[in-house]
Coordinates of all heavy atoms in Angstrom, one line a residue:
M1 N 120.4 99.4 71.0 CA 121.4 98.4 71.3 C 122.8 99.1 71.2 O 123.0 99.9 70.3 CB 121.3 97.2 70.3 CG 122.3 96.2 70.6 SD 122.2 94.9 69.4 CE 123.4 95.5 68.2
R2 N 123.7 98.7 72.1 CA 125.0 99.2 72.1 C 126.0 98.2 72.6 O 125.7 97.7 73.6 CB 125.1 100.5 72.8 CG 126.5 101.1 72.8 CD 126.6 102.5 73.4 NE 127.7 103.2 73.4 CZ 129.0 102.9 73.5 NH1 129.3 101.7 73.8 NH2 130.0 103.8 73.5
E3 N 127.1 98.0 71.9 CA 128.2 97.2 72.5 C 129.2 98.1 73.2 O 129.5 99.1 72.7 CB 128.8 96.4 71.4 CG 128.0 95.2 71.0 CD 128.8 94.2 70.2 OE1 130.0 94.0 70.5 OE2 128.3 93.6 69.2
V4 N 129.6 97.6 74.3 CA 130.7 98.4 75.1 C 132.0 98.0 74.4 O 132.3 96.8 74.3 CB 130.7 98.0 76.6 CG1 131.8 98.6 77.2 CG2 129.4 98.3 77.2
A5 N 132.7 99.0 73.9 CA 134.0 98.8 73.2 C 135.1 98.5 74.3 O 134.9 98.9 75.5 CB 134.4 100.0 72.4
D6 N 136.1 97.9 73.9 CA 137.2 97.5 74.8 C 137.8 98.7 75.4 O 138.3 98.6 76.6 CB 138.2 96.7 74.0 CG 137.8 95.2 73.7 OD1 136.9 94.8 74.5 OD2 138.4 94.6 72.8
D7 N 137.8 99.8 74.8 CA 138.5 101.0 75.3 C 137.5 102.0 76.0 O 137.9 103.0 76.5 CB 139.3 101.8 74.3 CG 138.4 102.2 73.1 OD1 137.2 101.8 73.0 OD2 138.9 103.0 72.3
D8 N 136.2 101.6 76.2 CA 135.2 102.4 76.9 C 135.4 102.3 78.4 O 135.5 101.2 78.9 CB 133.8 101.9 76.6 CG 133.2 102.4 75.2 OD1 133.8 103.3 74.6 OD2 132.3 101.8 74.7
D9 N 135.5 103.4 79.0 CA 135.5 103.5 80.5 C 134.2 104.0 81.0 O 133.8 103.6 82.1 CB 136.7 104.4 81.0 CG 138.0 103.9 80.7 OD1 138.2 102.6 80.8 OD2 138.9 104.6 80.4
L10 N 133.5 104.9 80.3 CA 132.2 105.4 80.7 C 131.3 105.3 79.5 O 131.7 105.8 78.4 CB 132.3 106.9 81.1 CG 131.0 107.6 81.3 CD1 130.3 107.0 82.5 CD2 131.3 109.1 81.5
V11 N 130.2 104.7 79.7 CA 129.1 104.6 78.6 C 127.9 105.4 79.2 O 127.3 105.0 80.2 CB 128.8 103.1 78.4 CG1 127.6 103.0 77.4 CG2 130.0 102.4 77.9
T12 N 127.6 106.5 78.5 CA 126.4 107.3 78.8 C 125.3 107.0 77.8 O 125.6 107.1 76.6 CB 126.8 108.7 78.9 OG1 127.8 109.0 79.8 CG2 125.6 109.6 79.3
V13 N 124.2 106.6 78.2 CA 123.1 106.2 77.3 C 122.0 107.2 77.5 O 121.5 107.4 78.5 CB 122.6 104.8 77.6 CG1 121.6 104.3 76.5 CG2 123.8 103.8 77.5
D14 N 121.6 107.8 76.3 CA 120.5 108.8 76.3 C 119.4 108.3 75.4 O 119.0 109.0 74.4 CB 121.1 110.1 75.8 CG 120.1 111.2 75.9 OD1 119.0 111.1 76.6 OD2 120.4 112.3 75.4
G15 N 118.8 107.1 75.7 CA 117.8 106.6 74.9 C 116.4 107.2 75.3 O 116.1 107.2 76.5
T16 N 115.7 107.7 74.3 CA 114.4 108.3 74.6 C 113.3 107.6 73.8 O 112.1 107.9 74.0 CB 114.3 109.8 74.2 OG1 114.7 109.9 72.9 CG2 115.3 110.5 75.1
S17 N 113.6 106.7 72.9 CA 112.7 105.9 72.1 C 113.3 104.6 71.7 O 114.4 104.4 71.9 CB 112.2 106.8 70.9 OG 113.3 107.0 70.0
G18 N 112.5 103.8 71.0 CA 113.0 102.5 70.5 C 112.7 101.4 71.5 O 111.9 101.6 72.4
P19 N 113.3 100.3 71.3 CA 113.0 99.1 72.1 C 113.3 99.4 73.6 O 114.2 100.1 73.9 CB 114.0 98.1 71.6 CG 114.4 98.5 70.3 CD 114.3 100.0 70.3
A20 N 112.4 98.9 74.4 CA 112.6 99.1 75.9 C 112.6 97.7 76.5 O 111.7 96.9 76.3 CB 111.5 99.9 76.5
P21 N 113.6 97.4 77.3 CA 114.7 98.2 77.6 C 115.8 98.2 76.5 O 115.8 97.4 75.6 CB 115.4 97.4 78.8 CG 115.0 96.0 78.6 CD 113.7 96.0 77.9
C22 N 116.6 99.2 76.5 CA 117.7 99.4 75.6 C 118.8 98.4 76.0 O 119.2 98.4 77.2 CB 118.2 100.8 75.6 SG 119.6 101.1 74.6
E23 N 119.3 97.6 75.1 CA 120.3 96.6 75.5 C 121.7 97.1 75.3 O 122.0 97.7 74.3 CB 120.1 95.3 74.6 CG 118.9 94.5 75.0 CD 118.9 93.1 74.3 OE1 118.6 93.1 73.1 OE2 119.2 92.1 74.9
I24 N 122.5 96.9 76.4 CA 123.9 97.2 76.4 C 124.6 95.9 76.5 O 124.5 95.2 77.5 CB 124.2 98.2 77.5 CG1 123.3 99.4 77.5 CG2 125.7 98.6 77.5 CD1 123.4 100.3 76.3
F25 N 125.5 95.6 75.6 CA 126.3 94.3 75.6 C 127.7 94.5 76.2 O 128.5 95.3 75.6 CB 126.3 93.7 74.2 CG 124.9 93.3 73.7 CD1 124.2 94.1 72.9 CD2 124.4 92.1 74.2 CE1 122.9 93.7 72.5 CE2 123.1 91.7 73.8 CZ 122.3 92.6 72.9
L26 N 128.0 93.8 77.2 CA 129.3 93.9 77.8 C 130.4 93.1 77.0 O 130.0 92.0 76.4 CB 129.4 93.4 79.2 CG 128.5 94.2 80.3 CD1 128.5 93.4 81.6 CD2 129.1 95.6 80.4
P27 N 131.6 93.5 77.0 CA 132.6 92.6 76.4 C 132.9 91.4 77.4 O 132.4 91.4 78.5 CB 133.9 93.5 76.3 CG 133.7 94.5 77.4 CD 132.2 94.7 77.5
A28 N 133.6 90.4 76.9 CA 133.9 89.3 77.8 C 134.8 89.8 79.0 O 135.7 90.6 78.8 CB 134.7 88.2 77.0
A29 N 134.4 89.4 80.2 CA 135.2 89.8 81.3 C 136.7 89.5 81.3 O 137.5 90.3 81.7 CB 134.6 89.2 82.6
V30 N 137.0 88.4 80.7 CA 138.4 88.0 80.6 C 139.2 89.0 79.7 O 140.4 89.0 79.9 CB 138.5 86.5 80.0 CG1 138.1 86.5 78.5 CG2 139.9 85.9 80.3
T31 N 138.6 89.7 78.8 CA 139.3 90.6 77.9 C 139.4 92.0 78.5 O 140.0 92.9 77.9 CB 138.7 90.7 76.5 OG1 137.4 91.3 76.7 CG2 138.5 89.3 75.9
R32 N 138.8 92.2 79.7 CA 138.6 93.6 80.2 C 139.3 93.7 81.5 O 138.8 93.2 82.6 CB 137.1 93.9 80.3 CG 136.8 95.2 80.9 CD 137.1 96.3 79.9 NE 136.9 97.5 80.5 CZ 136.6 98.6 79.9 NH1 136.4 98.6 78.6 NH2 136.4 99.8 80.5
P33 N 140.5 94.3 81.7 CA 141.2 94.4 82.9 C 140.8 95.5 83.8 O 141.3 95.7 84.9 CB 142.7 94.6 82.5 CG 142.5 95.3 81.2 CD 141.3 94.8 80.6
R34 N 139.8 96.3 83.4 CA 139.4 97.5 84.2 C 137.9 97.6 84.3 O 137.1 97.0 83.5 CB 140.1 98.7 83.7 CG 139.6 99.1 82.3 CD 140.5 100.2 81.8 NE 140.1 100.7 80.5 CZ 140.2 100.1 79.3 NH1 140.9 99.0 79.3 NH2 139.7 100.6 78.2
E35 N 137.5 98.5 85.2 CA 136.1 98.8 85.4 C 135.4 99.5 84.2 O 136.0 100.1 83.4 CB 135.9 99.7 86.6 CG 136.3 99.1 87.9 CD 136.2 100.0 89.1 OE1 136.0 101.3 88.9 OE2 136.2 99.5 90.2
I36 N 134.0 99.3 84.2 CA 133.2 100.0 83.2 C 132.1 100.7 84.0 O 131.5 100.1 84.9 CB 132.5 99.0 82.2 CG1 133.5 98.2 81.4 CG2 131.5 99.7 81.3 CD1 132.9 97.1 80.6
R37 N 131.9 102.0 83.7 CA 130.8 102.7 84.3 C 129.8 103.0 83.2 O 130.0 103.4 82.1 CB 131.4 104.1 84.7 CG 132.3 104.0 85.9 CD 133.2 105.2 86.0 NE 134.0 105.1 87.2 CZ 135.2 104.4 87.3 NH1 135.6 103.7 86.3 NH2 135.9 104.3 88.4
I38 N 128.5 102.7 83.6 CA 127.4 102.8 82.7 C 126.4 103.7 83.4 O 125.9 103.5 84.5 CB 126.7 101.5 82.3 CG1 127.8 100.6 81.7 CG2 125.5 101.7 81.4 CD1 127.4 99.2 81.4
K39 N 126.0 104.8 82.7 CA 125.1 105.8 83.2 C 123.9 106.0 82.3 O 124.1 106.2 81.1 CB 125.8 107.2 83.5 CG 124.9 108.2 84.1 CD 125.8 109.4 84.4 CE 124.9 110.4 85.2 NZ 125.8 111.5 85.8
N40 N 122.7 105.9 82.8 CA 121.5 106.1 82.0 C 121.0 107.6 82.2 O 120.5 107.9 83.3 CB 120.4 105.1 82.5 CG 119.3 105.1 81.5 OD1 119.2 105.8 80.5 ND2 118.4 104.1 81.7
V41 N 121.0 108.4 81.2 CA 120.4 109.7 81.2 C 119.2 109.8 80.4 O 118.6 110.9 80.2 CB 121.5 110.7 80.8 CG1 122.7 110.8 81.7 CG2 121.9 110.6 79.3
G42 N 118.7 108.6 79.8 CA 117.6 108.6 79.0 C 116.3 108.1 79.7 O 116.4 107.8 80.9
T43 N 115.2 108.2 79.0 CA 113.9 107.8 79.6 C 113.5 106.3 79.3 O 112.4 106.0 79.6 CB 112.8 108.7 79.0 OG1 112.9 108.6 77.6 CG2 113.1 110.2 79.4
V44 N 114.5 105.5 78.9 CA 114.3 104.1 78.6 C 115.2 103.3 79.5 O 116.4 103.6 79.7 CB 114.5 103.8 77.1 CG1 114.4 102.3 76.9 CG2 113.6 104.5 76.2
A45 N 114.7 102.3 80.2 CA 115.6 101.5 81.1 C 116.6 100.7 80.2 O 116.4 100.6 79.0 CB 114.7 100.4 81.8
L46 N 117.7 100.4 80.9 CA 118.8 99.6 80.2 C 118.8 98.2 80.7 O 118.6 97.9 81.8 CB 120.1 100.3 80.5 CG 120.3 101.8 80.3 CD1 121.7 102.2 80.7 CD2 120.0 102.1 78.9
A47 N 119.1 97.3 79.8 CA 119.4 95.9 80.1 C 120.9 95.6 79.8 O 121.3 95.6 78.7 CB 118.5 95.0 79.3
I48 N 121.7 95.5 80.9 CA 123.1 95.3 80.7 C 123.3 93.8 80.6 O 123.0 93.0 81.6 CB 123.9 95.9 82.0 CG1 123.4 97.3 82.3 CG2 125.4 95.7 81.8 CD1 123.6 98.3 81.2
T49 N 123.8 93.4 79.4 CA 123.8 91.9 79.1 C 125.2 91.4 79.1 O 126.1 92.0 78.4 CB 123.1 91.7 77.7 OG1 121.8 92.3 77.8 CG2 123.0 90.3 77.4
P50 N 125.5 90.4 79.9 CA 126.9 89.8 79.9 C 127.1 89.1 78.6 O 126.2 88.6 78.0 CB 126.9 89.0 81.1 CG 125.5 88.6 81.4 CD 124.7 89.8 80.9
D51 N 128.4 88.9 78.3 CA 128.8 88.2 77.1 C 128.8 86.7 77.3 O 129.2 86.2 78.3 CB 130.3 88.6 76.8 CG 130.8 87.9 75.5 OD1 130.3 88.3 74.4 OD2 131.7 87.0 75.6
G52 N 128.2 86.0 76.4 CA 128.1 84.5 76.4 C 127.7 83.9 77.7 O 126.6 84.1 78.2
T53 N 128.7 83.2 78.4 CA 128.4 82.5 79.7 C 128.9 83.4 80.8 O 128.9 82.9 82.0 CB 129.0 81.1 79.7 OG1 130.4 81.3 79.6 CG2 128.4 80.2 78.7
D54 N 129.3 84.6 80.5 CA 129.7 85.5 81.6 C 128.5 85.8 82.6 O 127.4 85.6 82.2 CB 130.2 86.8 81.1 CG 131.6 86.8 80.6 OD1 132.2 85.7 80.5 OD2 132.2 87.9 80.2
T55 N 128.8 86.2 83.8 CA 127.8 86.6 84.7 C 128.0 88.0 85.3 O 129.0 88.5 85.3 CB 127.8 85.6 85.9 OG1 129.1 85.7 86.6 CG2 127.6 84.1 85.5
I56 N 126.8 88.5 85.8 CA 126.9 89.7 86.5 C 126.3 89.4 87.9 O 125.1 88.9 88.0 CB 126.0 90.8 85.9 CG1 126.5 91.2 84.5 CG2 125.9 92.1 86.8 CD1 125.6 92.2 83.7
E57 N 127.1 89.5 88.9 CA 126.7 89.1 90.3 C 126.1 87.7 90.3 O 125.1 87.3 90.9 CB 125.7 90.1 90.8 CG 126.2 91.4 91.1 CD 127.3 91.5 92.2 OE1 127.2 90.7 93.1 OE2 128.2 92.3 92.0
G58 N 126.8 86.7 89.5 CA 126.4 85.3 89.5 C 125.3 84.9 88.6 O 124.9 83.8 88.5
S59 N 124.7 85.9 87.9 CA 123.6 85.6 87.0 C 123.9 85.9 85.5 O 124.6 86.9 85.2 CB 122.4 86.5 87.3 OG 121.3 86.3 86.4
T60 N 123.5 85.0 84.7 CA 123.8 85.1 83.2 C 122.7 86.0 82.6 O 122.8 86.4 81.4 CB 123.8 83.8 82.5 OG1 122.6 83.1 82.7 CG2 125.0 83.0 82.9
S61 N 121.7 86.4 83.4 CA 120.6 87.3 82.9 C 121.1 88.7 82.8 O 122.0 89.1 83.5 CB 119.4 87.2 83.8 OG 118.9 85.9 83.8
A62 N 120.4 89.5 82.0 CA 120.7 91.0 81.9 C 120.4 91.6 83.3 O 119.5 91.2 84.0 CB 119.8 91.6 80.8
F63 N 121.1 92.7 83.6 CA 120.9 93.5 84.8 C 120.2 94.8 84.4 O 120.7 95.4 83.4 CB 122.2 93.7 85.5 CG 122.1 94.5 86.7 CD1 121.7 93.9 87.9 CD2 122.2 95.9 86.8 CE1 121.6 94.7 89.1 CE2 122.0 96.6 87.9 CZ 121.7 96.0 89.1
T64 N 119.2 95.1 85.0 CA 118.4 96.3 84.6 C 118.9 97.6 85.4 O 119.0 97.6 86.6 CB 116.9 96.1 84.9 OG1 116.4 95.0 84.1 CG2 116.1 97.3 84.5
V65 N 119.1 98.6 84.6 CA 119.3 99.9 85.1 C 118.1 100.8 84.8 O 117.8 100.9 83.6 CB 120.6 100.6 84.6 CG1 120.8 102.0 85.0 CG2 121.8 99.7 84.9
P66 N 117.4 101.3 85.8 CA 116.2 102.0 85.5 C 116.4 103.3 84.7 O 117.5 103.8 84.5 CB 115.6 102.4 86.8 CG 116.8 102.2 87.8 CD 117.8 101.3 87.2
A67 N 115.3 103.8 84.1 CA 115.3 105.0 83.3 C 115.6 106.2 84.1 O 115.3 106.2 85.4 CB 114.0 105.2 82.6
A68 N 116.2 107.2 83.6 CA 116.4 108.5 84.3 C 115.0 109.1 84.5 O 114.1 108.9 83.8 CB 117.3 109.4 83.5
S69 N 114.9 109.9 85.6 CA 113.7 110.5 85.9 C 114.0 111.9 86.7 O 114.6 111.8 87.7 CB 112.8 109.7 86.9 OG 111.6 110.3 87.2
G70 N 113.6 113.0 86.1 CA 113.9 114.2 86.7 C 115.4 114.4 86.8 O 116.1 114.3 85.8
T71 N 115.9 114.7 87.9 CA 117.4 114.9 88.1 C 118.1 113.5 88.4 O 119.3 113.5 88.7 CB 117.7 115.9 89.1 OG1 117.1 115.5 90.4 CG2 117.1 117.3 88.8
S72 N 117.3 112.5 88.5 CA 117.9 111.2 88.9 C 118.5 110.5 87.6 O 117.9 110.4 86.6 CB 116.8 110.2 89.4 OG 117.3 108.9 89.5
R73 N 119.8 110.2 87.7 CA 120.5 109.6 86.6 C 121.2 108.3 87.1 O 122.3 108.3 87.6 CB 121.6 110.5 86.1 CG 121.1 111.9 85.7 CD 120.3 111.8 84.4 NE 120.0 113.2 83.9 CZ 118.8 113.7 83.9 NH1 117.9 113.1 84.5 NH2 118.6 114.9 83.4
P74 N 120.4 107.2 87.0 CA 121.0 105.9 87.5 C 122.2 105.5 86.8 O 122.4 105.7 85.6 CB 119.8 104.9 87.2 CG 118.6 105.7 87.0 CD 119.1 107.0 86.5
A75 N 123.1 104.9 87.6 CA 124.4 104.4 87.1 C 125.0 103.2 87.8 O 124.6 103.0 89.0 CB 125.4 105.6 87.2
I76 N 125.8 102.4 87.2 CA 126.5 101.3 87.9 C 127.9 101.3 87.5 O 128.3 101.8 86.4 CB 125.8 99.9 87.6 CG1 125.9 99.6 86.1 CG2 124.4 99.9 88.1 CD1 125.5 98.1 85.8
I77 N 128.7 100.7 88.3 CA 130.1 100.5 88.0 C 130.3 99.0 88.1 O 130.1 98.3 89.1 CB 131.1 101.2 89.0 CG1 130.8 102.7 89.1 CG2 132.5 100.9 88.8 CD1 131.5 103.4 90.2
L78 N 130.9 98.4 87.0 CA 131.1 97.0 87.0 C 132.6 96.7 86.9 O 133.4 97.4 86.2 CB 130.5 96.4 85.7 CG 129.0 96.5 85.6 CD1 128.5 96.3 84.1 CD2 128.4 95.4 86.5
S79 N 133.0 95.7 87.6 CA 134.5 95.3 87.7 C 134.6 93.9 87.3 O 133.9 93.0 87.8 CB 135.0 95.6 89.0 OG 136.4 95.3 89.1
P80 N 135.6 93.5 86.5 CA 135.8 92.1 86.2 C 136.4 91.4 87.4 O 137.2 92.0 88.1 CB 136.7 92.1 85.0 CG 137.4 93.4 85.1 CD 136.5 94.3 85.7
D81 N 136.1 90.2 87.7 CA 136.6 89.4 88.8 C 138.0 89.1 88.5 O 138.4 88.5 87.4 CB 135.8 88.1 89.0 CG 136.1 87.4 90.3 OD1 137.3 87.0 90.4 OD2 135.3 87.2 91.1
P82 N 139.0 89.3 89.4 CA 140.4 89.0 89.1 C 140.7 87.5 89.1 O 141.8 87.1 88.7 CB 141.2 89.7 90.2 CG 140.2 89.9 91.3 CD 138.8 90.0 90.7
V83 N 139.8 86.7 89.7 CA 140.1 85.3 89.8 C 139.2 84.5 88.8 O 139.7 83.6 88.0 CB 139.8 84.7 91.2 CG1 140.0 83.2 91.3 CG2 140.7 85.4 92.2
D84 N 137.9 84.8 88.7 CA 137.0 84.1 87.8 C 136.9 84.9 86.5 O 136.3 86.0 86.5 CB 135.6 84.1 88.4 CG 134.6 83.3 87.5 OD1 134.9 83.0 86.3 OD2 133.5 83.1 88.0
P85 N 137.4 84.4 85.4 CA 137.5 85.2 84.1 C 136.1 85.4 83.4 O 136.1 86.0 82.4 CB 138.4 84.4 83.3 CG 138.3 83.0 83.8 CD 138.1 83.1 85.3
T86 N 135.1 84.8 84.0 CA 133.8 85.0 83.4 C 132.8 85.8 84.2 O 131.6 85.8 84.0 CB 133.1 83.6 83.1 OG1 132.9 82.9 84.4 CG2 134.0 82.7 82.3
A87 N 133.3 86.5 85.3 CA 132.4 87.1 86.2 C 132.6 88.7 86.2 O 133.8 89.2 86.2 CB 132.7 86.6 87.6
W88 N 131.5 89.4 86.3 CA 131.5 90.8 86.5 C 130.8 91.0 87.9 O 129.9 90.3 88.3 CB 130.6 91.5 85.5 CG 131.2 91.6 84.1 CD1 130.9 90.8 83.1 CD2 132.1 92.6 83.7 NE1 131.7 91.1 82.0 CE2 132.4 92.3 82.3 CE3 132.8 93.7 84.3 CZ2 133.3 93.0 81.5 CZ3 133.7 94.4 83.5 CH2 133.9 94.1 82.1
H89 N 131.3 92.0 88.7 CA 130.7 92.4 89.9 C 130.3 93.9 89.9 O 131.0 94.7 89.3 CB 131.7 92.2 91.1 CG 132.1 90.7 91.2 ND1 131.3 89.8 91.7 CD2 133.3 90.1 90.9 CE1 131.9 88.6 91.8 NE2 133.1 88.8 91.2
I90 N 129.2 94.1 90.5 CA 128.7 95.5 90.6 C 129.4 96.0 91.9 O 129.1 95.6 93.0 CB 127.2 95.6 90.8 CG1 126.6 95.1 89.5 CG2 126.8 97.1 91.1 CD1 125.0 94.9 89.6
V91 N 130.3 97.0 91.7 CA 131.1 97.5 92.8 C 130.6 98.9 93.3 O 131.1 99.5 94.2 CB 132.6 97.6 92.5 CG1 133.1 96.1 92.4 CG2 132.9 98.4 91.3
G92 N 129.7 99.4 92.5 CA 129.1 100.8 92.9 C 127.8 101.0 92.1 O 127.7 100.5 91.0
S93 N 126.9 101.8 92.6 CA 125.7 102.1 91.9 C 125.1 103.4 92.5 O 125.4 103.8 93.6 CB 124.7 101.0 92.0 OG 124.2 100.8 93.3
H94 N 124.3 104.1 91.7 CA 123.6 105.3 92.1 C 122.2 105.2 91.5 O 122.0 105.0 90.3 CB 124.3 106.5 91.5 CG 123.6 107.8 91.8 ND1 123.6 108.3 93.0 CD2 122.9 108.6 91.0 CE1 122.9 109.5 93.0 NE2 122.5 109.6 91.7
K95 N 121.2 105.2 92.5 CA 119.8 105.2 92.1 C 119.4 104.0 91.4 O 118.5 103.9 90.6 CB 119.4 106.4 91.2 CG 119.7 107.8 91.8 CD 118.7 108.1 92.9 CE 119.0 109.5 93.4 NZ 118.1 109.9 94.5
V96 N 120.0 102.8 91.7 CA 119.7 101.5 91.2 C 119.2 100.7 92.3 O 120.0 100.5 93.3 CB 120.9 100.9 90.5 CG1 120.5 99.5 90.0 CG2 121.3 101.7 89.3
P97 N 118.0 100.2 92.3 CA 117.5 99.4 93.4 C 118.2 98.0 93.6 O 118.8 97.5 92.7 CB 116.0 99.1 93.1 CG 115.8 99.6 91.7 CD 117.0 100.3 91.3

């Protein structure tokens, strides 16, 4: 489990054991004026969990970033919505279905 700090721009997760998926907790979108990049270099999938009633792409459920495999290092870029203070949008991804 890891909370994204207010000053984090890049979160690299290297989970190889423990609970699966590994939970990553986002800060409230309203408190975050810039993007967050999350990259999985570990062998455990990530569950990116929005704060409270915040959403990721319209859903309050966690968003899954698959585990790394070989040279594949899945990553997403999340941006807070400039109009809706409770919304996160995925504006970029790599190796994420």
